Amino acid sequence: MLQMKLCGDLVLRSVCTPIDKITPEILDTLDEMVRMMHAQNGVGLAAPQVGLLQRFLVMMDPDTNTVFKMLNPVITRRSADTCVMEEGCLSVLGADNLPVYSNVVRPKCVDVEWTDETGKKMRAQMSGMPARIVQHETDHLDGKLFIDYLSPIKREMLMRKVRRRKS
């Protein structure tokens, strides 16, 4: 049974190691992560969020409900055009046990390559919400959180909400 790791847990600040072999355990974990993501009304979940320091994630395109299971995802290109969107995270919760949100600037479009759960090499150009989600989730694999993109003042305001949860 996987357990969600929350802001302050050092696993969320660690760089993950690549997957060199697709095992039944990884496939089971991916399936459980999809269930967790849906149960918490999320659109993405990365391995460190469930305490695993391995480079894989699950995400859903909210427009099509397509679920992606990505092993060793790499963003190979980021557009120069950026956009501001509100982001939250299942690992960054406020006093009400719901994600806290803030506006984050990210590239509008990305090219991403990954291996799917069958071992097939995949490539996609993503824009809009899918681009936002894959950037957010791959950041987790490198020990980054969306709050790292905020100004110091905005980050402190958001973290006050997170600390109220812990009190």
Side-chain angles (χ1 to χ4, degrees):
M1 181 80 175
L2 300 177
Q3 188 171 17
M4 187 65 67
K5 301 299 178 185
L6 299 177
C7 191
D9 193 310
L10 293 179
V11 72
L12 296 173
R13 293 304 192 168
S14 302
V15 176
C16 296
T17 57
I19 300 293
D20 54 6
K21 184 179 177 190
I22 301 172
T23 64
E25 292 80 22
I26 288 173
L27 295 174
D28 288 347
T29 300
L30 287 165
D31 290 342
E32 189 170 346
M33 287 171 63
V34 170
R35 286 191 294 276
M36 286 177 75
M37 176 181 70
H38 288 311
Q40 296 187 34
N41 296 313
V43 290
L45 194 60
Q49 292 180 273
V50 294
L52 303 171
L53 291 176
Q54 295 176 293
R55 294 192 81 80
F56 62 88
L57 61 87
V58 299
M59 63 172 273
M60 181 180 73
D61 179 339
D63 296 328
T64 64
N65 290 330
T66 302
V67 172
F68 297 90
K69 298 175 183 177
M70 298 182 169
L71 305 170
N72 301 324
V74 176
I75 295 175
T76 59
R77 187 192 65 83
R78 298 171 196 269
S79 69
D81 291 341
T82 60
C83 65
V84 176
M85 289 177 122
E86 193 174 64
E87 285 188 38
C89 181
L90 296 174
S91 291
V92 184
L93 305 179
D96 55 3
N97 277 334
L98 294 173
V100 292
Y101 293 89
S102 189
N103 286 330
V104 177
V105 178
R106 291 191 190 265
K108 278 185 180 180
C109 301
V110 296
D111 292 347
V112 61
E113 296 176 359
W114 72 95
T115 302
D116 74 7
E117 69 272 22
T118 69
K120 183 178 177 188
K121 299 288 185 194
M122 305 294 289
R123 173 181 284 150
Q125 186 174 74
M126 297 183 176
S127 60
M129 279 301 288
R132 174 73 44 162
I133 297 164
V134 77
Q135 290 175 83
H136 179 109
E137 300 306 332
T138 56
D139 274 353
H140 276 300
L141 305 179
D142 293 321
K144 282 185 175 175
L145 298 173
F146 81 96
I147 60 176
D148 298 339
Y149 294 95
L150 305 178
S151 70
I153 291 170
K154 283 188 177 180
R155 184 171 38 247
E156 179 54 34
M157 288 171 52
L158 188 138
M159 289 309 295
R160 280 190 197 137
K161 295 176 184 176
V162 172
R163 283 191 288 274
R164 275 191 223 121
R165 180 186 178 280
K166 294 180 179 182
S167 304

